Each structure stands twice: as structure tokens, then as C-alpha cells.
């Protein structure tokens, strides 16, 4: 059974800490950049999300957003993925993400999402 509460590490050394897991399957916590992040100005940033009810789906789908705490720009990232449990009971998260930066005008909108 996948429970997102706790600490998770990415392949690049980033860390997600889920500190609050609500009865409604919502969660919150913080996202901390890892050593592979090329921007040293990124601070630990708040995250908010939700997952499917683990009582219904043992390997739930989840989503969360990170509101980056940056000094000079505005960015948010949306993550969408699924938690898997292998035969040894080890939990692994697989996710995709979209990062959005604030654009100065509609003409610059095309380059604001990665």
C-alpha cells in the first residue's frame, strides 16, 4: 500500500517531504532542490497535492504542485504520477512534470512552459 507521507528522493537528488496527509487524501509538505539543480537561489518550497484513496487503489495516482520560493522570478511546477509497490514492498514514485515561469506578455507565452 502506497502512502506518500515521509521523505522521497529523486534521481537528481531533489527531496520531497510530505508532512501532512489528510483523511481526504490531500497532502502538503515541501520540495527541496538537490545538488544537480543549477540554480543555487532556489529555497525549500511548499507543495500541495492529492492522491487516490489507497483503500480503493493500492497503487494510487497522485498530483501535486510546487510553488517555487525564488528571489527573482515566479515559477510553479505541476507533477502527475503513480506510486508503485514492488514484490518486496518497496514504494517507488513515477511522475512527469510541467514547469511554468511567469511570462511578461502573451507574445512570450510560448517559452514559459517546460
Amino acid at each position: 500500500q502506497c502512502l506518500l507521507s515521509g521523505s522521497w528522493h529523486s534521481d537528481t537528488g531533489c527531496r520531497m517531504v510530505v508532512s501532512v496527509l489528510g483523511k481526504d487524501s490531500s497532502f502538503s509538505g515541501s520540495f527541496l532542490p538537490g545538488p544537480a539543480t543549477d540554480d543555487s537561489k532556489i529555497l525549500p518550497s511548499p507543495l500541495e497535492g492529492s492522491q487516490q484513496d489507497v483503500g480503493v487503489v493500492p497503487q494510487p495516482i497522485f498530483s501535486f504542485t510546487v510553488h517555487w520560493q525564488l528571489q527573482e522570478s515566479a515559477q510553479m511546477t505541476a507533477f502527475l504520477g503513480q506510486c508503485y509497490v514492488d514484490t518486496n514492498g518497496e514504494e517507488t514514485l513515477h511522475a512527469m512534470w510541467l514547469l511554468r515561469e511567469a511570462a511578461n506578455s502573451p507574445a512570450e507565452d510560448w517559452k514559459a512552459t517546460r
Side-chain angles (χ1 to χ4, degrees):
Q1 178 175 341
C2 278
L3 294 174
L4 293 180
S5 59
S7 182
W8 299 87
H9 299 273
S10 74
D11 295 339
T12 60
C14 294
R15 190 167 61 129
M16 175 178 81
V17 178
V18 176
S19 54
V20 177
L21 188 59
K23 292 185 186 281
D24 63 351
S25 297
S26 65
F27 59 89
S28 61
S30 59
F31 199 92
L32 299 94
T37 304
D38 60 357
D39 190 344
S40 61
K41 299 175 197 166
I42 301 176
L43 301 172
S45 301
L47 67 83
E48 298 281 334
S50 65
Q51 70 176 38
Q52 288 180 308
D53 184 348
V54 295
V56 176
V57 181
Q59 301 187 113
I61 295 171
F62 62 87
S63 66
F64 64 93
T65 58
V66 175
H67 179 201
W68 297 104
Q69 301 298 303
L70 301 169
Q71 297 171 350
E72 299 174 11
S73 66
Q75 295 180 0
M76 290 188 81
T77 302
F79 292 81
L80 180 64
Q82 187 168 357
C83 183
Y84 294 99
V85 181
D86 67 15
T87 56
N88 296 324
E90 186 173 333
E91 299 170 334
T92 305
L93 304 181
H94 289 244
M96 297 186 72
W97 55 269
L98 286 173
L99 180 132
R100 177 67 187 207
E101 298 177 285
N104 292 325
S105 70
E108 294 180 4
D109 188 65
W110 66 273
K111 65 180 181 177
T113 302
R114 291 186 247 166

